[in-house]
Amino acid sequence: MANIEYDPQRQLFHLHNATFSYIIQVIRGYLVKRYCGPALEQFSGTAKLEDFSHAFNIQNDAAPFSLTTLPLEYSTLMGGDYRTPAYAVRNAHGQLIGNLKFHDFQILAGNENFNGTLPTARTPNGQTLIITMHDETDTLAVHLKYTIVGDLPVLLKQVAYRNLSDNTLTITHAASLQLDFDDHAYDLITLTGAHLSEASVTRQPLTPGKKSIASNYGASGPQGVPATILAAPATDDFAGEALGVTLLWSGNFNYTAQVDQFGNSRLVMGLNPELFSWQLKPGKPFVTPEAAVAYTTKGLNDLSHIFHQFFANHVMPVPRRNLIEYNTWESTYFDVSEAKVLAEIPKAEALGVELIVVDDGWFKNRPNDAGQLGDWVPDPVKFPRGLRPVADALHARGLAFGLWVEPEMISENSELYAAHPDWAMQYVGQKPLRSRNQLVLDLSQRIVQDHLIAVLTDLVRTNHIDYLKWDYNRHFSQPGSPVLPPDQQGEVGYRYTRGLYRVLKTLRDTFPKLIIENCSSGGGRLDGGMLAYTDQTWTSDFTDPVYRMKIMNGFSLFFPLKTFVSHFTMSPNLQDSRVTPLRTRALLSLVGVTGIECPPSQLSPAEAAAVKASFAFYKANRAELQNGSLYRLHPSHPNQDQVCWLITDEAKTKAIVLTSAGVIAPIPHYQHVLLHYLRPTMSYQINDKKTATGAELNFAGVTLPLAHGDFSATLMTLQAVSHLPQTTTQANGDIAKLPF
Ligand code: DGJ
């Protein structure tokens, strides 16, 4: 149970639960981070702060400390601290407001959400600390919010500003968190990428200077995920210290890791200051996105496990069973129709499909990607009777009906654009810059948000829709709002993302059972903010199973298994023309939320048998494959592009080892893999045959089947047999009998 203690003598705040402590002290009025790490019962301050002044130190009230070496909680430039600032607010003189000092604090029950439309983690039984700081002229109040999440070693941070003066203040930088360290003995781990190659992992030592990952695309973007890890150099997946940070935010962001002149380091994360500014009117608040900090001494798998629990249990919509899907996109592209979908229903059902999703192309004037986004009216030729016949046919068989939409976009040839050209984001007097032939709706306008809420509510209600695939296929180029005054144009990005959350939240509240799949040409907007309002994410448009597995492996640093949608796809693959063995296509689509992109009616008999068997296996093991714990394993003699996962239930009574073997090595090698995370004293039956203890499997490991040819895949099941009735092995499904 999380707790917050305050020692008035030392002005010391101790936030802790059974696993984690975070300690802040007010020193000469400044807010100083004293500790972040494993839970402490007490803190006496044996590790002292550096209390001497450096040459040319700025002389302020902090003496004998130097503000530029103190590990501060939240600071700005030009007050004595020269490190990367967490905020920049200018007063009526156009000058920076600095020297924030402790003013007061409050301890509240639960997670005090500063602003109902921004995503926030659920921590119903916790406590929240709000520390308020003022500048010396009492112009600006800054409220720092801290909450520990349940029993997890996770700390939420969020910041609110309030204008105490009679003049408008200008915010040009407003980070969600600052974390200072008195050394820089860390590697920085980042996820970057592009469309079709999301979540590429880079690990590099912190060195003097700054390293930033940012987005000014309007969305978090495949170019960088707003989440990063600082890991001790020796830390690997299985051991060592690591601290991870993520934002619950889907718009422009920046994080910067800096090593300063003294070898100390600082991490600042939040909104991207590049395109941002905010006019803070007298008496008004401004709230940053929420950030989450996770900590472990047990390696990157443990840190990932903490993040997975955090997102699955505290951020994502309440768990429910996601459905095995047939999606029409790779079957028909834009040429989808009622007749084609109806013809596939019995075949899809026979494979074990539970949901059919009509992807792009269903609405009028959409033969290709040149139009007509915004109107959302079924094409009279492709769907002459509207969408209901498809929905009804599916529901009559107990299957669910899903529809693709791209609500945030508008085509200039739409009726919506003809009626409301001022609803598109634009720069005054400049030609619109299109991408994929479309413009972005200005969701910073409440009227546009209300329009989307009305249209989508009607669409879902009228057509009995169970699932929406919410796509977003272009980034901002001219982030101007026709309705905001000139000095507020820097607010568009923030207002847009907040407006998007309002639309999503309203829909979720109206249709609690509606499944929403997050998609931005794949995993281009997979972040903590979208996870708060969506159930699953189309991981990548790169549907080659081998590379999708690599992409998911990158995302798995932060996001839980149930986030990832992985479908059985065609071979040769439609993106890279790679021919992949049938067994690999079937096995590697089993993780997360499975489904199929190929037309069921056009599968070969061997493909149909493989898909049917893998869906049956998925159903028998859905709890683990969709909601289980995921750990990255490292076989000996790793091949290029190899990925190996252990997937278990919480109690570790069932386990699955899934390996994508990658490009085969020239010299054949048996590969051994240690399973690390099974219960040592438990006995496990492997693939329903041999039995071994968890200890042996963890420390001596198992041998993977010898790979033959490139891009093979293997699957091993383990069932705990001690303390459990033998009959449970039946539910495991017999992978040896799968026909592929
Ligand atoms: C991009 C998505 O990632 C695809 O799956 C598909 O829905 C297309 N958009 C449709 O335009």
Side-chain angles (χ1 to χ4, degrees):
M1 171 62 73
N3 225 331
I4 299 170
E5 279 145 25
Y6 177 60
D7 172 353
Q9 251 79 50
R10 295 186 291 164
Q11 288 192 288
L12 190 113
F13 298 92
H14 186 172
L15 297 95
H16 63 91
N17 58 14
T19 56
F20 177 70
S21 281
Y22 193 83
I23 298 173
I24 305 161
Q25 190 167 17
V26 181
I27 294 180
R28 297 184 168 258
Y30 295 99
L31 218 53
V32 177
K33 171 184 154 251
R34 295 303 311 270
Y35 178 79
C36 172
L40 299 179
E41 293 237 331
Q42 287 178 354
F43 181 80
S44 66
T46 44
K48 292 206 183 324
L49 294 162
E50 197 174 296
D51 62 352
F52 57 86
S53 297
H54 296 277
F56 314 121
N57 184 32
I58 298 294
Q59 293 158 333
N60 54 27
D61 311 340
F65 300 102
S66 157
L67 271 197
T68 209
T69 54
L70 269 183
L72 295 168
E73 275 299 304
Y74 205 71
S75 67
T76 193
L77 282 173
M78 309 324 291
D81 182 3
Y82 290 93
R83 291 168 288 182
T84 296
Y87 76 96
V89 182
R90 291 188 184 271
N91 59 22
H93 306 291
Q95 294 166 352
L96 288 172
I97 301 175
N99 236 13
L100 290 178
K101 294 261 188 82
F102 175 78
H103 188 267
D104 60 65
F105 75 94
Q106 280 177 284
I107 295 175
L108 305 165
N111 176 12
E112 170 70 9
N113 186 15
F114 283 4
N115 181 334
T117 53
L118 292 186
T120 187
R122 297 181 296 271
T123 56
N125 301 320
Q127 288 181 316
T128 290
L129 168 65
I130 298 175
I131 299 179
T132 299
M133 305 204 287
H134 282 197
D135 73 299
E136 64 188 294
T137 62
D138 277 331
T139 301
L140 177 69
V142 172
H143 309 280
L144 301 181
K145 186 195 83 167
Y146 302 86
T147 309
I148 290 193
V149 179
D151 295 329
L152 295 174
V154 174
L155 176 71
L156 303 174
K157 285 189 165 201
Q158 194 170 19
V159 184
Y161 299 73
R162 186 172 288 276
N163 182 350
L164 304 174
S165 76
D166 297 331
N167 301 303
T168 298
L169 306 177
T170 304
I171 308 175
T172 56
H173 176 35
S176 298
L177 72 76
Q178 168 184 320
L179 278 172
D180 286 1
F181 305 91
D182 60 3
D183 58 22
H184 65 279
Y186 297 107
D187 289 344
L188 182 73
I189 301 176
T190 59
L191 293 184
T192 56
H195 176 229
L196 302 177
S197 67
E198 297 88 345
S200 161
V201 182
T202 303
R203 180 170 179 160
Q204 55 200 308
L206 285 185
T207 52
K210 296 184 188 182
K211 173 82 190 175
S212 294
I213 300 290
S215 166
N216 49 24
Y217 289 80
S220 53
Q223 293 78 13
V225 177
T228 188
I229 295 170
L230 291 174
T235 297
D236 61 13
D237 265 329
F238 309 108
E241 187 191 19
L243 178 142
V245 179
T246 185
L247 282 181
L248 274 59
W249 182 246
S250 314
N252 291 336
F253 75 90
N254 174 297
Y255 65 84
T256 298
Q258 180 190 22
V259 177
D260 71 9
Q261 56 181 332
F262 302 111
N264 297 333
S265 55
R266 170 174 287 180
L267 182 67
V268 170
M269 182 183 250
L271 299 170
N272 188 347
E274 259 174 21
L275 291 169
F276 170 78
S277 70
W278 190 271
Q279 294 295 293
L280 192 65
K281 306 278 190 256
K284 293 286 182 200
F286 173 80
V287 186
T288 71
E290 191 164 81
V293 183
Y295 181 85
T296 185
T297 53
K298 296 188 210 135
L300 296 175
N301 266 322
D302 191 58
L303 189 75
S304 301
H305 189 59
I306 293 164
F307 272 121
H308 296 173
Q309 289 174 296
F310 168 67
F311 281 121
N313 301 333
H314 297 272
V315 177
M316 292 178 79
V318 178
R320 80 168 148 263
R321 216 172 61 135
N322 293 3
L323 303 173
I324 299 176
E325 158 189 343
Y326 160 52
N327 178 297
T328 58
W329 180 242
E330 289 202 346
S331 313
T332 63
Y333 287 130
F334 296 95
D335 199 17
V336 65
S337 68
E338 176 189 320
K340 285 184 185 174
V341 178
L342 291 181
E344 293 293 354
I345 293 176
K347 314 262 184 206
E349 190 183 21
L351 294 175
V353 162
E354 299 160 333
L355 156 76
I356 293 189
V357 178
V358 176
D359 207 281
D360 199 352
W362 62 268
F363 47 98
K364 72 178 179 192
N365 192 15
R366 187 69 171 174
N368 48 43
D369 64 14
Q372 183 171 335
L373 296 164
D375 295 341
W376 308 118
V377 176
D379 182 284
V381 177
K382 295 172 180 170
F383 290 87
R385 302 182 293 157
L387 297 167
R388 273 295 292 279
V390 173
D392 292 348
L394 286 166
H395 291 148
R397 290 171 178 260
L399 305 180
F401 172 50
L403 193 67
W404 176 97
V405 283
E406 196 178 2
E408 299 159 72
M409 299 295 157
I410 183 165
S411 311
E412 288 150 282
N413 59 1
S414 65
E415 285 164 28
L416 186 69
Y417 189 81
H420 301 286
D422 54 334
W423 283 8
M425 220 178 254
Q426 55 199 269
Y427 276 175
V428 180
Q430 298 184 29
K431 270 199 259 109
L433 293 172
R434 298 179 201 113
S435 173
R436 213 194 190 208
N437 304 303
Q438 63 205 47
L439 306 181
V440 185
L441 275 173
D442 177 14
L443 260 72
S444 74
Q445 299 183 42
R446 204 174 166 92
I447 191 172
V448 178
Q449 299 162 23
D450 289 341
H451 167 77
L452 285 188
I453 290 168
V455 167
L456 292 168
T457 303
D458 183 55
L459 191 70
V460 171
R461 193 164 278 147
T462 314
N463 297 296
H464 299 184
I465 291 171
D466 305 296
Y467 158 115
L468 284 180
K469 177 172 171 182
W470 188 292
D471 208 347
Y472 173 88
N473 287 306
R474 69 153 291 183
H475 290 129
F476 292 7
S477 51
Q478 294 157 315
S481 172
V483 299
L484 283 176
D487 62 355
Q488 287 186 261
Q489 290 294 318
E491 299 178 9
V492 173
Y494 176 93
R495 287 179 182 275
Y496 179 99
T497 306
R498 195 176 60 177
L500 168 65
Y501 293 144
R502 180 171 166 255
V503 176
L504 282 164
K505 183 175 184 325
T506 311
L507 269 184
R508 288 214 79 99
D509 291 347
T510 313
F511 302 106
K513 288 193 180 147
L514 182 72
I515 297 173
I516 303 182
E517 179 169 306
N518 170 31
C519 177
S520 174
S521 314
R525 197 165 54 179
L526 175 42
D527 54 57
M530 287 306 282
L531 282 198
Y533 297 111
T534 57
D535 303 276
Q536 56 194 54
T537 299
W538 181 235
T539 322
S540 181
D541 272 353
F542 205 21
T543 60
D544 172 323
V546 174
Y547 275 130
R548 182 184 55 216
M549 195 75 190
K550 267 193 82 177
I551 291 167
M552 291 192 291
N553 201 48
F555 277 132
S556 78
L557 276 173
F558 299 97
F559 304 121
L561 200 46
K562 69 172 180 176
T563 314
F564 310 131
V565 176
S566 44
H567 287 175
F568 180 91
T569 51
M570 286 173 215
S571 178
N573 180 263
L574 293 181
Q575 281 78 42
D576 62 0
S577 303
R578 178 188 285 157
V579 175
T580 310
L582 178 56
R583 184 179 171 82
T584 302
R585 292 158 65 203
L587 290 185
L588 300 189
S589 60
L590 281 172
V591 282
V593 187
T594 193
I596 177 168
E597 291 283 306
C598 317
S601 62
Q602 287 169 39
L603 296 177
S604 69
E607 286 175 322
V611 171
K612 199 172 170 181
S614 66
F615 286 174
F617 181 79
Y618 183 86
K619 285 177 183 172
N621 297 277
R622 192 193 288 262
E624 293 74 42
L625 289 167
Q626 190 173 288
N627 293 314
S629 305
L630 179 172
Y631 302 95
R632 295 171 295 274
L633 299 181
H634 296 275
S636 59
H637 311 290
N639 295 323
Q640 184 193 321
D641 293 330
Q642 181 153 19
V643 174
C644 182
W645 283 358
L646 173 74
I647 295 169
T648 67
D649 62 334
E650 195 65 30
K652 313 263 173 77
T653 57
K654 244 173 152 183
I656 291 167
V657 179
L658 180 66
T659 309
S660 167
V663 180
I664 194 166
I667 304 167
H669 251 300
Y670 274 113
Q671 294 189 295
H672 308 290
V673 63
L674 311 186
L675 303 191
H676 286 275
Y677 297 99
L678 298 184
R679 282 167 65 180
T681 53
M682 191 76 97
S683 282
Y684 293 88
Q685 201 167 56
I686 307 164
N687 283 358
D688 295 343
K689 285 185 215 104
K690 203 173 183 157
T691 301
T693 64
E696 181 183 346
L697 295 161
N698 288 348
F699 304 126
V702 290
T703 302
L704 296 173
L706 197 57
H708 293 290
D710 287 342
F711 311 122
S712 62
T714 61
L715 186 141
M716 182 182 289
T717 58
L718 298 110
Q719 173 75 51
V721 284
S722 49
H723 322 303
L724 285 173
Q726 287 294 319
T727 49
T728 52
T729 52
Q730 196 54 37
N732 212 13
D734 187 351
I735 197 67
K737 294 198 189 111
L738 291 181
F740 50 79

